[in-house]
Amino acid sequence: MDKKPLLKVQDLKTYFHTDDGLVKAVDGVSFEVYPGETLGIVGESGCGKSVTSLSVMRLLDEKGEIAGGSITFNGEDVLAIPEEKMMKIRGNDMAMIFQEPMTALNPVFTIGYQIIEAILLHQKVSSEEARAMAIDMLRKVGIPEPEKRVDEYPHELSGGMRQRAMIAMSLSCNPKILFADEPTTALDVTIQAQILELMLSLQKEYGMSIVMITHDLGVIAELAERVAVMYAGRIVEYADVVTLFKKPKHPYTWGLMNAIPKIDDEKEILYNIKGVVPDPLSFPEGCRFNTRCPLAKDKCFTDVPPLEEFEKDHFVACFRINELEEMIKSEREGELSAK
Amino acid sequence: MQNNTLLKVNNLVKYFPVKAGVFRKTIAQVKAVDDVSFEVKKGETVGLVGESGCGKTTAGMSILRLYEPTAGQIILDGKDTSYYFLSRRKAKKFLKKQYTEKFEKMKQKYSSEDQVIKNLNDEFNKQAAKDYFENPHKFIEKMMDMRIKGRSEFRRKAQMIFQDPYSSLNPRHRVKTIVGEGAKINELVENKDELKAMIEDILKKVGLSVDHMSRFPHEFSGGQRQRIGIARALILKPELIVCDEAVSALDVSIQAQILNLLNSLQKEFNLTFLFIAHDLAVVKHISDRVAVMYLGKIVEYTTKDQLFEKPLHPYTVALMSAIPNPDPENKSHRIILEGDVPSPINPPSGCPFHPRCPIAKDVCSKEVPQFKEIEEGHKVACLFPGKLKR
Amino acid sequence: MAQKISDFRKLSKKFLRNGTAILGIALLSFFIVIAIFAPFIAGENGDNPYQIPRVSWSSKPIAPTAEHPFGVIGGRDIFYGVIWGTRTAFQLGLIIASCAAVIGILIGSVSAYFGGWVDEVLMRIVDIFMSIPFLVAAIILTTILGKGLDKVMMALIVFGWMSTARLIRGNILQAREEQYVLAAKALGQKNFIIIVKHIIPNTIFPVVVQMSMRIGSYVITAAGLSFLGIGAEPGYADWGTILSYSRNWMTMLDQSWFAIVFPGTAMVLFVLAWNLVGDALRDIFDPRLRN
């Protein structure tokens, strides 16, 4: 890709000072988002995927601190922007939608009021125009009878409708980039399908970039063009979606892909990534996956594997890429013998 | 007599009253489970799948009598357990209605006892009618005698694994107390040493170590907590385990661990699972047969292979197509359902799915489709089964 | 066992790092010490130590001197009154809070357990009690029952149990929905045991926290009643009683400030101590903080 990235995050480090000690929630994460594309960030809970997006939006709470790295958005150094200007950028150029729209929408105001408020804050229009824009936006996100719904309160809408309203609000100012943090996790499958479809069509219409943060590999495969897999605060693999799903090179990515039951594939035993995610207060030395990795030895316990280009545009952070084939083979044999 | 069937649910109904006003008057009914029937064979796993609010969890809870069902028959291991947890008066009333009145009415209709027996459709009730006509009084008396004793037997045989690995364990109890509680209540052990040995044994079976015994739940991760929940159910050596969204709160890699554990435990203890979940892929992975629920009713029930190869109900088809497929080169062609699930307080007339159904016709809003066998072992409640293609 | 110790250590570490908690504990310990050693600090008045000795027959306030470090008002030694008043404050606070808590827990749990019309009736009674302005009710009750600290306590108990009842009822209703209660039911546990083993331990702690928070406020209210002259008998070693002596000298604060400042300070610190301890207890009992 020769295009200039819209967002470039380099060696981002976000630390939290908790009562129990320092949590290195994000520790050296680098990625780019190009205009109009969808980047998926996938990982299990606690891997730092949400913190990454909050860091880029500069929405960390007082315990969190960006301890290093750089964030360049639209040619500007995000970390150097004064807070007042940042408030303008948020909502205008960067927008975010959350897993539970109920917590992100204010329960005492109508959804219309909240969208209008956002429009008035960032655009020079009259309140009548803003209201018309809000109704238009609600119609675009597929809310039936938007003229009526605009005056309803968040609790009067169903979960799916609320998420639509949230999307309408975040897109009302035509942002360049949309961070979607598990936007469909709390929804039913049929409603999730509606929302994903909506996001795709809106992206086509508005041409914004989407950073899709989720634990669901299915959602990633449907929506993302490029994917970063995160584990324990670091990106372990970074590639375009087809390469990642067809030829995963990091043992964690491979394990994840084979741990999920699939609808079109029969398997008696799911691949077992043994153990649990390490405690964020005391991540292991070296590769952070080393406590669960069947390939880990020597260097894995002492040195941090760098995220290196394995093939063109396919980055992997693993010392033992070459042994992965053997691991897969022995796992397959293990499965066969278990049967 | 029906050696193969472990659990048989006949016409299960659970309504929750909606109360309002000073006098707590019932103003409406939430029809959470509305006439559900199915059976589970020994050693198999039946998946109960549906979206939130479809009544799958309520069905599971009602079967285990954590909610008292509004109506219906729950037969476990060849015994009608429906009245076990009712008060004496209510149990008598239940038996009178379920057996005495029903059989007497049928007797008048068919005019002979043999005809009644012939016309009953399930094995259990046939046998019951036989026993009843032999000596009606003794039949009821015998059933009533079983009530109290039946309770603890039922609890031992049927257990549950809960969804939330956080709220399902008492935060103030240690693992040994949590796991040992069932063994103590049901007097499976005679002394403390035996109990300890039993807990140790079961902890090892679910993949925890003996030094975890004295810890509190908050010291464990979600997956480990779910293992503790499994151990708590398993210590009673149950035959049926109802798994209510047992893996949906867990991370992907942990979910796989728990699913594999359930699989291997099933083989080791010959367990029967009723696996309640919203994730069709998980249900497909673990189940032998699958029941799809929508708005309090089962709309399709068949073997896993049949269901996934040839789904007949349009809701099942849409549900399958809605699942994001983790394969970027093979993006699923989606059938997007319009709108939301209607409220179970006021379900639509006719077929409950018709407002969202892509192939609904006028008749669908008037006629309630019968839940009937369309092919061998494939039951569907739809007027136009198999008409919606992927 | 080792686990328990480390748990305790983690908690105490957290607790000690919390400055306000330490301040609360220190203040409370200070008051406890004073209450225990009252006879040694301020001496003991012969046959009835709770009666402040009369040191002068004039009602005029006497400014602090070496002999009467907090001064004298109404002929009574304020220092003696403040020191022995600490004992009174503890008695008042602890007795009222624990009695109100017991009644509240009883009524709240009966209400939650039986539900239906029992719940409805009990909660309406709670509403009725709550709708009567507390101070008015206490004044009427003490006028009916007569003067004296025991009567004040009774009045405060009668009108002090409602919030506990509501709290415990709400907590039980919430705990009843917890999955571990369902799990115990699924194991075949008896209802009564479920309440004792699963519900009560998970609902009682907020009540304890609330109790400690309210001890201070009870003492203030009792002092208020004494100040109005419907509390303790004149001359009783009670902070409110000393304050009530200053009533007549309100316009001459330059001559009577010590009758307000010393018992007043004691009261403020006493309330503060219990509030801080209550806060700290809440942190300790919250299981989420142990994660």
Side-chain angles (χ1 to χ4, degrees):
Chain A
M1 264 186 231
D2 303 321
K3 280 186 290 178
K4 245 184 90 179
L6 174 70
L7 173 73
K8 193 171 164 70
V9 174
Q10 237 171 347
D11 202 26
L12 177 71
K13 291 189 164 105
T14 304
Y15 296 167
F16 286 89
H17 302 275
T18 69
D19 291 348
D20 298 311
L22 187 68
V23 172
K24 297 183 176 179
V26 175
D27 204 12
V29 161
S30 308
F31 60 88
E32 302 89 41
V33 184
Y34 293 93
E37 77 158 349
T38 301
L39 175 76
I41 301 184
V42 66
E44 296 179 280
S45 51
C47 72
K49 55 189 191 299
S50 293
V51 175
T52 303
S53 68
L54 290 173
S55 303
V56 174
M57 300 251 324
R58 295 226 334 243
L59 283 172
L60 296 168
D61 60 21
E62 72 273 17
K63 280 183 179 156
E65 172 214 9
I66 295 177
S70 70
I71 302 167
T72 318
F73 173 69
N74 216 5
E76 273 188 286
D77 180 3
V78 171
L79 298 179
I81 297 172
E83 180 55 31
E84 268 161 55
K85 197 175 163 210
M86 196 62 211
M87 279 166 84
K88 283 237 169 69
I89 292 179
R90 280 196 292 264
N92 216 359
D93 294 332
M94 295 179 174
M96 191 162 191
I97 54 177
F98 300 91
Q99 174 175 349
E100 186 31 77
M102 200 60 199
T103 55
L105 290 168
N106 190 333
V108 303
F109 295 118
T110 63
I111 52 165
Y113 177 85
Q114 298 184 53
I115 299 174
I116 292 167
E117 176 122 286
I119 295 173
L120 289 177
L121 201 65
H122 296 290
Q123 293 180 34
K124 288 192 179 66
V125 290
S126 72
S127 51
E128 286 83 45
E129 282 173 296
R131 188 182 160 84
M133 285 166 80
I135 292 173
D136 200 41
M137 206 61 228
L138 288 178
R139 184 176 296 118
K140 279 216 176 99
V141 296
I143 292 183
E145 302 173 85
E147 294 86 359
K148 208 179 110 206
R149 293 299 172 102
V150 76
D151 293 319
E152 281 183 5
Y153 289 90
H155 71 265
E156 294 176 274
L157 303 177
S158 67
M161 284 299 152
R162 250 181 255 144
Q163 196 57 281
R164 282 170 193 265
M166 186 74 219
I167 292 173
M169 195 160 117
S170 53
L171 294 187
S172 59
C173 291
N174 203 353
K176 294 195 174 71
I177 191 165
L178 176 70
F179 292 91
D181 190 354
E182 303 266 9
T184 58
T185 307
L187 304 174
D188 275 321
V189 220
T190 57
I191 309 297
Q192 164 172 289
Q194 294 173 357
I195 298 290
L196 293 181
E197 198 77 7
L198 173 72
M199 289 180 69
L200 276 174
S201 72
L202 287 173
Q203 186 178 31
K204 254 182 216 146
E205 189 178 341
Y206 288 92
M208 78 262 185
S209 310
I210 296 178
V211 178
M212 186 78 189
I213 296 155
T214 180
H215 71 280
D216 189 333
L217 287 168
V219 171
I220 288 284
E222 296 275 343
L223 225 64
E225 281 141 49
R226 292 184 310 120
V227 186
V229 181
M230 280 188 78
Y231 184 81
R234 291 191 186 135
I235 292 179
V236 295
E237 190 158 2
Y238 184 41
D240 70 276
V241 67
V242 178
T243 313
L244 192 89
F245 277 81
K246 294 293 155 194
K247 291 188 284 176
K249 283 292 164 203
H250 195 282
Y252 176 66
T253 317
W254 185 86
L256 214 51
M257 307 256 169
N258 288 277
I260 39 168
K262 291 182 193 116
I263 205 94
D264 53 3
D265 161 56
E266 199 66 28
K267 222 176 187 188
E268 181 104 0
I269 300 163
L270 300 167
Y271 177 65
N272 209 344
I273 305 178
K274 62 178 200 282
V276 292
V277 178
D279 180 2
L281 283 168
S282 52
F283 282 132
E285 287 285 306
C287 173
R288 287 185 177 170
F289 189 55
N290 65 23
T291 53
R292 305 176 74 186
C293 182
L295 293 174
K297 60 178 179 198
D298 317 334
K299 224 170 142 190
C300 299
F301 294 98
T302 52
D303 296 1
V304 179
L307 189 65
E308 281 175 333
E309 197 156 21
F310 167 73
E311 282 163 356
K312 191 175 174 337
D313 291 330
H314 185 178
F315 297 83
V316 186
C318 180
F319 290 128
R320 319 207 86 81
I321 298 181
N322 298 326
E323 277 104 292
L324 186 69
E325 283 306 317
E326 268 169 57
M327 175 188 129
I328 295 172
K329 223 164 116 194
S330 76
E331 288 301 332
R332 290 268 146 81
E333 272 161 19
E335 267 168 41
L336 286 179
S337 66
K339 273 183 192 178
Chain B
M1 185 185 93
Q2 44 172 221
N3 288 324
N4 214 359
T5 307
L6 179 63
L7 172 74
K8 191 159 184 357
V9 177
N10 286 335
N11 309 93
L12 182 69
V13 175
K14 175 66 188 172
Y15 289 175
F16 291 101
V18 180
K19 290 177 177 177
V22 184
F23 300 105
R24 303 264 126 220
K25 240 172 75 181
T26 303
I27 52 163
Q29 302 273 7
V30 177
K31 293 170 182 163
V33 177
D34 203 2
D35 195 5
V36 157
S37 307
F38 63 96
E39 55 177 77
V40 183
K41 295 200 182 84
K42 262 187 190 140
E44 77 169 347
T45 300
V46 169
L48 197 54
V49 70
E51 296 180 279
S52 54
C54 73
K56 54 191 193 300
T57 294
T58 308
M61 297 262 194
S62 301
I63 289 166
L64 287 190
R65 250 54 62 73
L66 298 179
Y67 299 150
E68 200 50 63
T70 308
Q73 219 179 4
I74 295 150
I75 298 158
L76 183 75
D77 220 1
K79 283 179 192 146
D80 184 354
T81 67
S82 321
Y83 62 97
Y84 280 4
F85 295 90
L86 298 172
S87 66
R88 213 183 147 70
R89 192 176 55 84
K90 280 188 179 155
K92 265 196 173 140
K93 213 170 128 194
F94 173 87
L95 291 176
K96 200 174 157 205
K97 196 173 153 217
Q98 184 70 39
Y99 297 103
T100 315
E101 280 173 15
K102 187 170 142 200
F103 290 157
E104 292 300 335
K105 219 190 240 162
M106 287 179 79
K107 197 173 158 187
Q108 276 180 4
K109 190 174 158 200
Y110 296 112
S111 68
S112 110
E113 291 172 2
D114 286 343
Q115 279 300 315
V116 172
I117 295 166
K118 221 181 221 170
N119 272 292
L120 280 161
N121 51 10
D122 85 84
E123 287 298 319
F124 174 82
N125 284 323
K126 273 186 190 182
Q127 185 62 41
K130 226 181 262 169
D131 293 346
Y132 174 81
F133 290 128
E134 235 164 64
N135 186 340
H137 185 70
K138 206 176 136 206
F139 173 76
I140 298 292
E141 199 84 320
K142 212 175 129 203
M143 297 278 264
M144 281 307 283
D145 282 349
M146 279 191 345
R147 194 171 123 263
I148 301 289
K149 209 186 95 219
R151 281 183 192 173
S152 75
E153 195 185 308
F154 179 83
R155 289 297 182 213
R156 228 176 31 238
K157 277 187 183 163
Q159 273 303 313
M160 182 144 191
I161 298 169
F162 291 85
Q163 165 176 16
D164 186 346
Y166 289 88
S167 101
S168 67
L169 305 177
N170 188 334
R172 297 185 195 280
H173 284 181
R174 287 170 202 284
V175 170
K176 58 182 172 200
T177 317
I178 293 169
V179 175
E181 188 172 10
K184 260 173 146 175
I185 297 166
N186 294 285
E187 287 157 7
L188 300 185
V189 287
E190 280 173 4
N191 54 48
K192 275 192 168 161
D193 293 335
E194 251 180 73
L195 179 66
K196 190 162 170 266
M198 198 167 192
I199 296 171
E200 279 174 6
D201 182 49
I202 220 86
L203 284 180
K204 270 183 226 151
K205 289 256 156 60
V206 299
L208 292 167
S209 86
V210 177
D211 11 308
H212 288 143
M213 272 179 72
S214 303
R215 297 205 190 153
F216 285 99
H218 70 258
E219 294 169 53
F220 294 90
S221 64
Q224 284 175 313
R225 288 168 144 255
Q226 206 54 302
R227 287 175 197 264
I228 299 170
I230 295 171
R232 168 175 61 192
L234 213 58
I235 201 162
L236 292 174
K237 301 278 177 312
E239 290 177 28
L240 173 73
I241 296 186
V242 176
C243 306
D244 181 19
E245 299 271 16
V247 298
S248 47
L250 304 173
D251 265 326
V252 179
S253 70
I254 309 301
Q255 178 176 314
Q257 293 175 357
I258 299 294
L259 285 174
N260 285 342
L261 174 69
L262 288 175
N263 242 334
S264 71
L265 289 174
Q266 175 167 43
K267 277 189 199 129
E268 188 175 345
F269 296 102
N270 192 26
L271 295 170
T272 307
F273 287 137
L274 179 60
F275 197 90
I276 299 167
H278 69 276
D279 187 333
L280 214 50
V282 169
V283 166
K284 185 186 180 205
H285 175 78
I286 197 155
S287 307
D288 300 307
R289 284 193 294 162
V290 181
V292 181
M293 272 186 90
Y294 186 78
L295 222 62
K297 288 186 156 66
I298 293 182
V299 296
E300 187 158 3
Y301 183 48
T302 182
T303 60
K304 169 173 71 175
D305 296 335
Q306 286 237 31
L307 188 84
F308 285 87
E309 266 159 40
K310 203 178 152 200
L312 291 179
H313 197 284
Y315 177 65
T316 315
V317 178
L319 199 62
M320 278 180 200
S321 84
I323 302 167
N325 193 3
D327 182 352
E329 285 184 326
N330 190 10
K331 288 189 188 181
S332 49
H333 167 67
R334 290 216 196 90
I335 296 164
I336 305 276
L337 290 179
E338 298 284 316
D340 290 315
V341 183
S343 155
I345 294 179
N346 210 348
S349 62
C351 171
F353 184 57
H354 86 261
R356 298 179 79 197
C357 181
I359 57 160
K361 300 200 171 58
D362 286 348
V363 60
C364 294
S365 64
K366 289 170 199 133
E367 200 178 312
V368 180
Q370 290 298 308
F371 184 51
K372 58 177 187 240
E373 202 157 15
I374 290 202
E375 292 164 8
E376 162 99 47
H378 194 157
K379 287 181 173 179
V380 187
C382 180
L383 295 172
F384 306 101
K387 285 283 173 336
L388 181 67
K389 297 271 187 294
R390 276 213 246 193
Chain C
M1 202 55 214
Q3 204 51 50
K4 202 174 183 179
I5 291 166
S6 92
D7 239 24
F8 179 75
R9 213 181 274 159
K10 210 169 149 192
L11 263 180
S12 46
K13 216 170 119 192
K14 229 171 205 160
F15 191 76
L16 288 177
R17 226 183 290 157
N18 184 346
T20 52
I22 297 177
L23 182 66
I25 292 290
L27 272 175
L28 196 62
S29 324
F30 173 70
F31 279 114
I32 291 171
V33 168
I34 289 186
I36 292 172
F37 294 106
F40 302 101
I41 300 170
E44 202 166 346
N45 182 15
D47 36 297
N48 187 0
Y50 285 101
Q51 200 65 31
I52 310 176
R54 207 171 247 293
V55 292
S56 144
W57 290 100
S58 144
S59 67
K60 254 180 87 97
I62 304 169
T65 58
E67 204 183 334
H68 306 296
F70 289 178
V72 173
I73 194 157
R76 310 278 179 172
D77 179 16
I78 297 176
F79 183 69
Y80 188 94
V82 170
I83 299 297
W84 281 85
T86 312
R87 281 195 178 190
T88 313
F90 272 112
Q91 277 172 13
L92 267 174
L94 291 175
I95 291 175
I96 299 171
S98 44
C99 287
V102 167
I103 296 174
I105 290 171
L106 219 67
I107 290 182
S109 36
V110 166
S111 191
Y113 181 69
F114 289 101
W117 66 269
V118 177
D119 180 35
E120 204 62 26
V121 168
L122 286 176
M123 283 303 114
R124 288 302 83 79
I125 292 174
V126 166
D127 288 346
I128 291 168
F129 268 81
M130 280 193 136
S131 66
I132 306 171
F134 180 69
L135 207 61
V136 175
I139 291 171
I140 294 169
L141 208 64
T142 40
T143 357
I144 297 170
L145 294 172
K147 236 164 142 52
L149 216 55
D150 47 340
K151 313 290 187 326
V152 170
M153 288 205 258
M154 220 181 278
L156 291 182
I157 291 168
V158 168
F159 286 96
W161 54 272
M162 293 86 70
S163 61
T164 312
R166 275 199 176 165
L167 182 71
I168 198 104
R169 172 179 171 271
N171 282 337
I172 290 178
L173 289 184
Q174 199 186 351
R176 245 188 2 193
E177 298 300 311
E178 294 282 353
Q179 286 191 343
Y180 57 80
V181 172
L182 280 179
K185 205 172 155 192
L187 291 174
Q189 191 65 279
K190 289 183 185 65
N191 275 338
F192 176 71
I193 311 262
I194 290 182
I195 292 176
V196 173
K197 268 184 75 182
H198 292 281
I199 295 180
I200 296 285
N202 281 294
T203 52
I204 205 82
F205 292 105
V207 174
V208 176
V209 172
Q210 192 202 39
M211 212 173 110
S212 96
M213 297 272 213
R214 298 199 58 174
I215 287 177
S217 74
Y218 286 133
V219 170
I220 295 251
T221 316
L225 291 175
S226 294
F227 181 79
L228 294 173
I230 46 173
E233 288 125 43
Y236 199 85
D238 165 51
W239 298 335
T241 309
I242 304 173
L243 279 177
S244 75
Y245 279 114
S246 70
R247 236 181 359 191
N248 301 330
W249 305 91
M250 276 293 179
T251 50
M252 286 164 274
L253 279 178
D254 55 325
Q255 289 173 44
S256 67
W257 58 270
F258 40 85
I260 297 172
V261 168
F262 293 115
T265 311
M267 234 183 298
V268 167
L269 291 180
F270 191 77
V271 173
L272 184 69
W274 280 108
N275 269 318
L276 294 179
V277 167
D279 264 342
L281 283 177
R282 182 169 46 207
D283 290 354
I284 292 177
F285 290 145
D286 191 343
R288 277 172 303 179
L289 289 175
R290 296 193 212 158
N291 285 344

